Amino acid sequence: HSIAAKISFYPPNLQREMNRIAGVAVASLRRSATTVCPVTLSSSSASASASAAAPSLFVTTARSYSATASTSSPEWHGTTILCVRKDGKVCMMGDGQVSMGPVVVKPNAKKIRRILPKTSAANRPAGEEGDKEKGGTIVGFAGSTADAFTLLERLEGKLDEYPGQLARSCVELAKGWRTDKYLRRLEASLLVADETVSLEITGNGDVLESHDGVLGVGSGSNYAIAAARALVDVDGMSAEDVCRKAMTIASDMCVYTNSNYMVEVMDTVDDEKKEGDDE
């Protein structure tokens, strides 16, 4: 109102020129701003139109800055799962921390499971556990527990449907995860490994196989993967040794990862031996 009162003292021709310049400036800001909040005021005189143009200028500028300042941050799963294949062994290791915001709820959760085929479990004698480093599929998950167990049950069903075909089972799971309107809302990531291959399954429909035998998911996965790739070529270190050292580095750097590790180790089958058995 004070601006309008000052403008009213100018001659009519100067008032019209000032109103025209203010209108051009407002139109330019409206075209360039990401979010525009126009102020509409009814006026019957030149002075009232000048007072309406001035607030529009300030509101438009403020809204444009507030809209560009807000950016969405990526979602990370608060855990670390690492899988390493080396020297005839595949090792999957995960931490046990469960976090709810800034609070640690549980330090020793089990985020790694071993799925055994129903045929081998049924044929195994009662009371006999067998060799823990042979057979089955190792699964590690990061994300919501309920979502992860839902996907784990789906994967177990696919493995029963396609026995001995882990890659196909993972592809079928990823297809359903991507296309089903209920499954697509599940927030989790899976690492799966058997005696022949290690794979990562994401909610985007991706089934990824590492080129160097190192895979990881979770908030501290980047630290663990980098450390494991640096250590995997060191002579004298087994797959479990590489996993443990890499997870120690990740737990020191990621606040959502602790040092209570759960480990699953399995013997691997070379491609040449597998092709000879198939023949």
Side-chain angles (χ1 to χ4, degrees):
H1 295 289
S2 61
I3 295 174
K6 291 180 180 179
I7 293 176
S8 63
F9 287 104
Y10 291 99
N13 57 348
L14 185 56
Q15 291 184 28
R16 289 192 295 269
E17 184 65 20
M18 294 177 68
N19 292 333
R20 186 189 65 82
I21 294 174
V24 173
V26 170
S28 177
L29 284 173
R30 286 179 177 176
R31 286 194 299 268
S32 61
T34 56
T35 302
V36 179
C37 181
V39 176
T40 304
L41 294 176
S42 60
S43 61
S44 58
S45 62
S47 60
S49 63
S51 64
S56 297
L57 178 106
F58 292 112
V59 173
T60 304
T61 307
R63 285 301 179 94
S64 64
Y65 284 133
S66 64
T68 54
S70 62
T71 56
S72 59
S73 58
E75 295 289 338
W76 292 97
H77 301 305
T79 188
T80 303
I81 306 294
L82 181 66
C83 182
V84 176
R85 305 181 74 93
K86 181 181 179 182
D87 297 337
K89 298 284 185 179
V90 56
C91 176
M92 188 176 294
M93 187 176 295
D95 74 303
Q97 179 171 322
V98 177
S99 304
M100 183 178 295
V103 179
V104 177
V105 179
K106 186 177 181 180
N108 58 347
K110 296 181 179 180
K111 304 175 185 178
I112 297 177
R113 299 288 188 275
R114 183 188 289 260
I115 301 175
L116 295 175
K118 290 185 177 180
T119 55
S120 62
N123 296 331
R124 181 176 300 171
E128 181 180 349
E129 296 184 357
D131 193 347
K132 294 184 178 181
E133 296 189 0
K134 291 184 179 180
T137 302
I138 305 175
V139 183
F141 60 87
S144 173
T145 304
D147 294 350
F149 274 95
T150 301
L151 294 171
L152 191 62
E153 292 176 358
R154 293 280 183 141
L155 177 61
E156 190 171 4
K158 295 299 181 182
L159 290 173
D160 294 336
E161 185 178 355
Y162 307 104
Q165 304 179 56
L166 180 60
R168 183 176 180 182
S169 301
C170 292
V171 170
E172 294 297 327
L173 174 63
K175 286 167 58 179
W177 191 355
R178 178 65 175 172
T179 57
D180 190 274
K181 64 179 180 179
Y182 298 108
L183 291 180
R184 72 176 60 174
R185 299 182 181 181
L186 301 181
E187 297 180 356
S189 296
L190 297 180
L191 282 186
V192 295
D194 65 356
E195 58 187 9
T196 59
V197 67
S198 300
L199 300 170
E200 176 184 352
I201 313 174
T202 67
N204 296 326
D206 300 324
V207 179
L208 307 175
E209 179 181 6
S210 176
H211 64 284
D212 55 2
V214 178
L215 284 173
V217 293
S219 58
S221 61
N222 290 335
Y223 314 122
I225 291 173
R229 286 177 174 172
L231 297 171
V232 73
D233 294 329
V234 177
D235 296 333
M237 294 189 69
S238 63
E240 184 174 353
D241 295 335
V242 172
C243 269
R244 192 170 296 277
K245 182 61 177 178
M247 287 292 296
T248 301
I249 294 174
S251 63
D252 290 339
M253 301 181 69
C254 178
V255 297
Y256 296 106
T257 304
N258 65 8
S259 57
N260 291 332
Y261 308 134
M262 182 176 181
V263 186
E264 287 284 354
V265 182
M266 181 186 298
D267 295 330
T268 62
V269 176
D270 297 334
D271 294 338
E272 297 179 358
K273 182 179 179 181
K274 182 181 178 182
E275 292 177 359
D277 296 339
D278 295 339
E279 293 177 357

